[in-house]
Amino acid sequence: MTKERKTAFETRCVHGAYKAKSGEPQVLPIVQNTTYRYYNAKDVADLFDLESPNFMYTRLGSPTVKALENKMALLEGGTAGIATSSGQAATLITVLNLCNAGDHVISASNIYGGTHNLLGVSLKKLGIDVDFVDQDLPAEEILKFARPNTKAVFGESLGNPALSVLDFEKFSKVAREIGVPLVVDNTLATPALCRPLELGADIVIQSTTKYADGHASCVGGAIVESGKFDWAASDKFPGLTEPDESYHGLRFYEKFGPTAFCTRLTAVLVRDLGCPMAPMNAYLTHQGLQTLHIRMERHCENAMKLAEHLKDHPMVDWVAYPGLKGDKYYELAQKYLPKGQSGVLCFGVKGGKEAGEKFLEHLELTSIVVHVGDIRTSVLHPASTTHRQLSEEEQIAAGISPSLIRVSVGLEAIEDIIYDFDQALDKVK
């Protein structure tokens, strides 16, 4: 019997998960409705007992959303995926699927400001405690933060906007030692550049609003599980191993095995919190993923060229980009992100925060937007925007200096991007 050949990542981006049958649409259809018709009570009962793969109500899934979920699982190399209304929703329900009030999470401090606030402020109000740690600490030091009620270790493959590269070997070792899953946000790297589930992570999440969509057209999030974590190895995860009273005593891990985490996400968290991705957004994100491999290649190429140019510019104090030799995270980037270090870089204008603000005002081609990861080059000052809810000490711990300007390098001609930055920097003098 001939062994089935595994297609390349690029081919999976174009063809993966959805294949039209004879006479069906070549492009994934948008099933834009709320409910689904049946002709007998048993078929509907099977839906509520999680015995049927069909759909009942779009809050709990639709053919268009399911196709995107399958594609995300395929690209990340997991057993199952869930699409949510936003990246924040993906992070929230992931933590709530692992933790109850009174539980604890260890998180790297170099993470997106919105995630930092979600973990450190909003979840604290729900009784879930989070310790933020310097991800560059030795494993032994990070392990000192572990508690008997620790339920997860969290980090970003490529920190936003600090551009810190997660040491997967170290963090997976920490998670294994504690006996909890390693959860990794892969938003900036995307599966085109990094596949955390192949590097020791157990759950990968991302804001599909960024590179997955790629065109700033829709908000969304995704969660993919590895299917390898043994939820029954301890009594830490009763939601997955103990009988669920809302499903007649069903035990999710016992029944669904390698897809238990995502099954419970939909059956319990999305059901109760109501945060599904809309079919239209799933369609647009699915379209974006078909060119992810090509776009990320160009984003990386342009970002490297801009970083090299700014590094030698007389009006620039410093540049942070993991692809630059001499960067603090260069070695880790070569190890975990060898295909490219994404399209985001950071730098500081000489003269500090005030000079940086003047630079932003003089840009012409480049947009000032609260966003990252689409085809247009854009900039932002995180200390006064995305991370303004953090104290100055928290900002510095997250790698955010007062002068830091985040650049999301787009797909324009690199000479036009460089010209725009040069003319704006010249006006700061």
Side-chain angles (χ1 to χ4, degrees):
M1 186 173 182
T2 305
K3 185 178 180 181
E4 185 177 350
R5 180 176 179 272
K6 185 177 181 180
T7 56
F9 180 83
E10 294 85 347
T11 305
R12 279 174 271 158
C13 282
V14 176
H15 292 281
Y18 173 75
K19 184 177 181 179
K21 296 177 182 177
S22 180
E24 290 186 342
Q26 175 78 326
V27 175
L28 175 68
I30 307 168
V31 180
Q32 188 64 46
N33 78 311
T34 60
T35 192
Y36 302 83
R37 184 174 180 177
Y38 290 92
Y39 291 89
N40 63 72
K42 184 181 184 306
D43 287 346
V44 181
D46 287 345
L47 293 169
F48 281 89
D49 287 341
L50 304 182
E51 295 289 350
S52 171
N54 294 324
F55 304 97
M56 69 169 92
Y57 192 59
T58 296
R59 188 177 85 240
L60 294 169
S62 83
T64 308
V65 175
K66 176 54 69 175
L68 173 64
E69 292 171 341
N70 290 342
K71 191 172 193 105
M72 288 302 309
L74 178 68
L75 297 183
E76 289 284 7
T79 54
I82 295 296
T84 60
S85 56
S86 68
Q88 286 288 85
T91 304
L92 172 63
I93 66 173
T94 294
V95 175
L96 294 181
N97 211 23
L98 297 169
C99 299
N100 294 318
D103 287 336
H104 173 252
V105 174
I106 296 173
S107 173
S109 58
N110 290 9
I111 58 174
Y112 168 57
T115 305
H116 195 292
N117 199 67
L118 169 64
L119 298 179
V121 179
S122 295
L123 285 179
K124 188 173 183 179
K125 295 176 182 177
L126 300 180
I128 298 171
D129 199 14
V130 179
D131 273 318
F132 294 100
V133 303
D134 180 351
Q135 68 182 55
D136 297 327
L137 287 173
E140 296 73 24
E141 293 299 312
I142 298 175
L143 280 167
K144 291 179 181 178
F145 289 89
R147 307 176 190 175
N149 60 341
T150 300
K151 296 297 179 69
V153 175
F154 183 90
E156 294 182 358
S157 54
L158 188 56
N160 177 14
L163 301 180
S164 49
V165 179
L166 191 72
D167 188 336
F168 282 90
E169 184 177 347
K170 178 174 68 178
F171 267 72
S172 61
K173 176 183 177 182
V174 168
R176 296 292 172 271
E177 185 74 21
I178 303 171
V180 300
L182 172 60
V183 181
V184 175
D185 185 325
N186 199 34
T187 297
L188 289 193
T190 81
L193 304 177
C194 178
R195 285 188 280 284
L197 300 182
E198 298 174 4
L199 298 171
D202 301 290
I203 301 161
V204 60
I205 63 177
Q206 68 171 278
S207 168
T208 60
T209 315
K210 313 308 191 296
Y211 287 116
D213 164 31
H215 299 78
S217 60
C218 60
V219 176
I223 307 159
V224 176
E225 65 175 306
S226 70
K228 298 177 181 178
F229 191 84
D230 185 357
W231 301 107
S234 70
D235 59 358
K236 284 179 174 285
F237 307 102
L240 288 155
T241 59
E242 296 300 314
D244 189 302
E245 62 183 22
S246 66
Y247 285 103
H248 312 295
L250 178 149
R251 299 172 189 259
F252 280 92
Y253 188 45
E254 181 181 275
K255 182 173 180 62
F256 297 105
T259 62
F261 188 83
C262 282
T263 302
R264 188 174 189 272
L265 278 175
T266 298
V268 178
L269 276 305
V270 176
R271 176 197 67 183
D272 292 350
L273 300 182
C275 53
M277 181 180 284
M280 176 61 81
N281 285 8
Y283 167 81
L284 291 171
T285 304
H286 190 274
Q287 287 280 78
L289 286 173
Q290 293 176 25
T291 59
L292 178 68
H293 56 296
I294 298 174
R295 289 186 287 106
M296 292 311 296
E297 185 177 312
R298 182 62 174 267
H299 280 301
C300 293
E301 178 185 330
N302 277 357
M304 177 64 82
K305 289 179 179 178
L306 182 61
E308 290 173 337
H309 178 79
L310 292 175
K311 180 172 62 73
D312 298 324
H313 198 288
M315 284 301 296
V316 173
D317 251 344
W318 55 270
V319 178
Y321 184 66
L324 284 176
K325 288 184 179 179
D327 185 271
K328 180 179 180 180
Y329 294 99
Y330 177 78
E331 295 300 328
L332 283 176
Q334 296 305 301
K335 181 177 181 179
Y336 296 120
L337 298 162
K339 291 185 177 181
Q341 295 75 45
S342 195
V344 179
L345 62 88
C346 295
F347 75 103
V349 181
K350 286 184 178 176
K353 181 180 178 182
E354 186 176 334
E357 290 175 349
K358 288 182 179 179
F359 163 75
L360 296 184
E361 293 169 4
H362 291 298
L363 290 166
E364 296 173 358
L365 175 71
T366 304
S367 307
I368 302 175
V369 298
V370 186
H371 192 241
V372 64
D374 73 60
I375 59 175
R376 291 158 284 266
T377 298
S378 62
V379 294
L380 195 67
H381 182 241
S384 62
T385 55
T386 55
H387 287 66
R388 68 178 293 111
Q389 68 269 46
L390 306 185
S391 67
E392 186 174 340
E393 292 75 19
E394 288 173 329
Q395 287 182 357
I396 292 172
I400 311 299
S401 66
S403 65
L404 184 149
I405 292 173
R406 184 187 71 185
V407 185
S408 178
V409 188
L411 305 185
E412 305 94 342
I414 186 59
E415 56 266 26
D416 292 330
I417 300 172
I418 288 174
Y419 175 84
D420 192 37
F421 276 64
D422 282 350
Q423 64 83 22
L425 286 167
D426 287 343
K427 293 172 183 173
V428 176
K429 296 177 182 178

